Amino acid sequence: MLFGNYQGIEKTENGYLVKGENGDIKLIFMTDDIIRIRVSFDRVFKEASYALVTTAWEDDLDELLKEERQRITALSLPYEEQEKELVFETKTLRLVMQKKPLCFRLYDKEGKLVYADLKERAFDKDQLGRVTHYSEADMDKDHFYGFGEKTGHLDKRGKRMRMSPKDAIGFDPEFGEPLYKHIPFYIRTNEDSLHALGLFYNNSYDAVFDMGNERSGYWDCYCYYQADGGDIDLFLINGPDMPSVLNRYTFLTGRQAMPTKQSLGYTASTMYYAELEKDCDKEIYKVIQKHFDEHIYMDNFWLASGYSSGEKDNLRYTFNWNNKRFPDPEGFFEKMEGMGINVIPNMKPGILENHPYREVFEENDVFVKTPDKKSDYRGRWWGGEGRFVDFTGEKGRNTWKELLKETLLKKGSKTVWNDNCEYDGIEDRNAFCEFEGMGGTMAELKIIHSNMMAYTAKEALAEVYPEERPYIINRAGFAGIQRYAQVWDGDNLTDWRTVKFNIATIMGMGMSGIANTGCDIGGFAGPAPEAELLLRWIQNGIFQPRFCINSANSDNTVTQPFMYEETLPYVQAAYAQRYRMIPYLYSLMREAHENGMPVMRPLFLEFPEDKNCYTDEHLTFLFGPSVLVANVVEKGAKTRKIYLPKGAVWYDMNDHFKAYEGGQTIEIPVTLASVPMFFRDCGVYVTSEDVTQIKRDTLKTLNFLISCENDVTFTYYDDDGWSKKFEDGEYASTKIEVKAGDRKTITFTKNGSYEETWDNLELNLVSKEKGAYWVTVEGEKIAQFLTKESFEEAESGWYYDMSDRIIRMKCSKPDKDSFTIVISCEKFDLIGMEFTD
């Protein structure tokens, strides 16, 4: 059933109600750049969204989400009615609604078409109740990015993808579908117009996105979104650039939760650590010490579900402690805390028949029900038939929260790891859920449980640790999961293709507003990785916000970073590199928290005018704005091909900063030690050698690598790393402004009340053409040194490194919130040592 023709329009409190032959449309201009088009074939328009944190209307979940949600006032726009169409204009967009048959076209202010529905087939509801939205597509020039967690290359043009989260263990990294998450959002751009537009469908029913895979000779080229039920609740999110789309999408669905700094350290894990017959705690202490002895830096330990297994049947019972394996849980947490390690216990929402807390669950009536509501629904689960906690109701959330507090948090756990939360074991989509007292089905609410499981963890952590920043990890999630949790890409396969295509999967998550993510380094499912594969995976993992080795190897082995002596020196170097980059990474996480920008960025996000970036499949990425990374991801590779974006010069950070013009594909030699990294010619990169364990070490010296072919800015961010005080201004946000020219001016301006720990500054300025004439700190010249040795012995001064052609300077950090360093590269008269014009 097509929507049909336009029949009339009525003004509403916050927009318009458009009447059609077979349905109605709510049209709301939330801002100049966010337009809501909600198509309802049943004309009901129930408002009850778990995903949105910004609305312009009353919603049934406003009270539940009152601490997260804001209400804005929608624009009040007139329209111009013409014979065949209605025209609405904001300050930046012109929306045209064609009357017969009803469909929409979107133009920018200059009149350029940026989006169009398929003219005669825009909105449809079929005989099965599925709703479909069709859009025009240029299969030669359009590109599609996002869609949450997907396999294969980043651009989904020509792909067909399903949103129906599964426990997808061992999924094919190139072609597997679907995975664990359901993020019905994507960004489309045309390589000629370069205008980015986001499309977010606020609908949690299972869905399909077909981006030109389907063809029909009766229609122009098209792509479509199809959901199993509900409305076509579309938010058109204008750019015109991609960062603006991400900013506005996360304005709607929530910003990335600000992580704890410790969470950015390495996390060790494997299922086997918690599977010994007894005294797993003692063995874990030895494993931690082994990491320390091998100079493998670490801060976190994932405690797999074996800790909760029944002592008689070895089945998983969340909230239970196996006292043979862990005789003193409180002592275990205390001991690990003393070693500087954050312990993260696994949790699963399925409840087996012999669960120790079964009576509590039954008394509180917490489970998802059968369709007739007469009994608890029972479905497939780990170890047999299970029941499932209903996180869309207060009874389920409150019971879970109290057990979580008593059995884990009050014993010492400060992080919640929500595993297996796809609710894949409930096969009957008519199973009944509370839906906050309104009643609903699993068809609509299946993936919502994962978000609300994280929401419950956030509440529990706030009640036990009110001063501390919540750290939550989820395997599954719907749109908005980023405001609660770090996520990871599930039980991936140990395979060379996985290390390669996981890069695109992580970038796709970043292009979906989820910056804090990663994959299981070395692979989870399958045999142990060979030495070269594990090394290459670690060398990529150091750039992922979640840096974790986690395995359930099928060959009775345990994946550990020190397992191969022949590659250990390269592994140690990679871990040292990760911890060296923590200041830069933490700053990038702050940026994600503020505006939705990802950490691992596709090339086109920073270089939108280079058309080659849209089709590049070399699986390179930008680590923040300044560093291009081209990990080696092919077995036995002797060289690595890399496309360098046009519009910049790129300096090889592993080859004395050798310069390459952008806009070309290069091929460089690689060895096992190689982690190819290139520094942008307008960049700021912040590192430190001081921290080898985040929990215990103190940052004393910061190193700033700077290049300034043109002016550049970067914000270095720091706070205490664990508390909520940053929300009240107790942070240090230092804007670094670099003015290019013969006289380079670098200004540091700090905002916020956090008292920083670093007091020594090292600055390395790429200067390929010539060295410095003089260097000043707050107007005072510092000493020049002509040998590297004398420079290294001094506390303050500068030196021109001819090998890298970098001006290296160091000094004590001025004791003020704003200070300036000037590096003169002006010409001077060697005889008179005087500056000449």
Side-chain angles (χ1 to χ4, degrees), residues 83-124:
E83 180 182 355
K84 296 183 178 180
E85 59 191 29
L86 275 67
V87 180
F88 306 82
E89 291 199 42
T90 74
K91 292 179 181 178
T92 56
L93 297 170
R94 180 162 60 93
L95 182 70
V96 177
M97 183 177 71
Q98 179 180 295
K99 293 181 179 179
K100 294 184 180 181
L102 191 145
C103 64
F104 293 94
R105 301 189 306 277
L106 188 67
Y107 300 85
D108 67 12
K109 204 61 178 176
E110 286 70 45
K112 180 171 60 179
L113 180 68
V114 297
Y115 170 81
D117 291 336
L118 190 59
K119 289 187 289 291
E120 297 176 349
R121 196 185 178 188
F123 309 108
D124 178 42

Side-chain angles (χ1 to χ4, degrees), residues 431-533:
F432 177 82
C433 304
E434 283 291 322
F435 196 8
E436 314 310 328
M438 297 176 283
T441 66
M442 284 297 295
E444 180 180 7
L445 300 167
K446 175 176 178 285
I447 192 58
I448 296 300
H449 291 280
S450 61
N451 279 34
M452 296 309 291
M453 190 176 181
Y455 170 95
T456 304
K458 183 179 179 181
E459 283 197 327
L461 285 164
E463 291 173 16
V464 178
Y465 303 109
E467 303 299 320
E468 301 201 18
R469 200 177 306 174
Y471 177 21
I472 301 158
I473 305 163
N474 258 45
R475 192 169 77 174
F478 183 61
I481 188 60
Q482 70 272 4
R483 66 184 188 256
Y484 302 127
Q486 176 190 79
V487 300
W488 87 102
D489 296 326
D491 297 342
N492 56 358
L493 182 68
T494 302
D495 187 274
W496 274 97
R497 289 183 307 142
T498 308
V499 68
K500 179 165 62 175
F501 286 108
N502 273 175
I503 294 171
T505 300
I506 293 167
M507 284 196 287
M509 291 291 283
M511 294 300 290
S512 307
I514 303 173
N516 194 352
T517 186
C519 67
D520 283 346
I521 307 303
F524 181 85
E530 60 183 312
E532 184 186 3
L533 175 56

Side-chain angles (χ1 to χ4, degrees), residues 161-176:
M161 298 159 288
R162 189 176 179 213
M163 303 281 186
S164 180
K166 306 294 181 190
D167 189 340
I169 184 168
F171 60 88
D172 185 291
E174 189 173 4
F175 304 109

Side-chain angles (χ1 to χ4, degrees), residues 342-527:
N342 174 39
V343 178
I344 305 171
N346 180 280
M347 301 178 63
K348 305 179 188 296
I351 307 302
L352 295 169
E353 194 62 27
N354 293 324
H355 197 289
Y357 294 100
R358 183 187 66 184
E359 292 184 0
V360 175
F361 290 124
E362 289 176 343
E363 287 173 5
N364 293 340
D365 191 24
V366 306
F367 295 120
V368 173
K369 303 296 183 186
T370 55
D372 61 9
K373 310 179 200 176
K374 293 182 178 179
S375 59
D376 299 333
Y377 184 93
R378 286 172 164 81
R380 299 172 71 89
W381 189 240
W382 274 48
E385 193 175 68
R387 288 177 283 181
F388 303 87
V389 176
D390 185 350
F391 284 98
T392 71
E394 283 191 7
K395 292 181 294 185
R397 289 196 297 270
N398 288 342
T399 301
W400 187 268
K401 180 174 68 174
E402 292 306 313
L403 287 170
L404 170 59
K405 287 161 57 177
E406 295 301 321
T407 64
L408 289 171
L409 301 186
K410 291 183 180 179
K411 292 184 184 298
S413 176
K414 294 186 177 182
T415 303
V416 176
W417 169 16
N418 293 324
D419 198 6
N420 301 88
C421 49
E422 302 80 22
Y423 277 55
D424 198 22
I426 301 180
E427 297 173 341
D428 189 339
R429 293 296 192 265
N430 288 317
F432 177 82
C433 304
E434 283 291 322
F435 196 8
E436 314 310 328
M438 297 176 283
T441 66
M442 284 297 295
E444 180 180 7
L445 300 167
K446 175 176 178 285
I447 192 58
I448 296 300
H449 291 280
S450 61
N451 279 34
M452 296 309 291
M453 190 176 181
Y455 170 95
T456 304
K458 183 179 179 181
E459 283 197 327
L461 285 164
E463 291 173 16
V464 178
Y465 303 109
E467 303 299 320
E468 301 201 18
R469 200 177 306 174
Y471 177 21
I472 301 158
I473 305 163
N474 258 45
R475 192 169 77 174
F478 183 61
I481 188 60
Q482 70 272 4
R483 66 184 188 256
Y484 302 127
Q486 176 190 79
V487 300
W488 87 102
D489 296 326
D491 297 342
N492 56 358
L493 182 68
T494 302
D495 187 274
W496 274 97
R497 289 183 307 142
T498 308
V499 68
K500 179 165 62 175
F501 286 108
N502 273 175
I503 294 171
T505 300
I506 293 167
M507 284 196 287
M509 291 291 283
M511 294 300 290
S512 307
I514 303 173
N516 194 352
T517 186
C519 67
D520 283 346
I521 307 303
F524 181 85

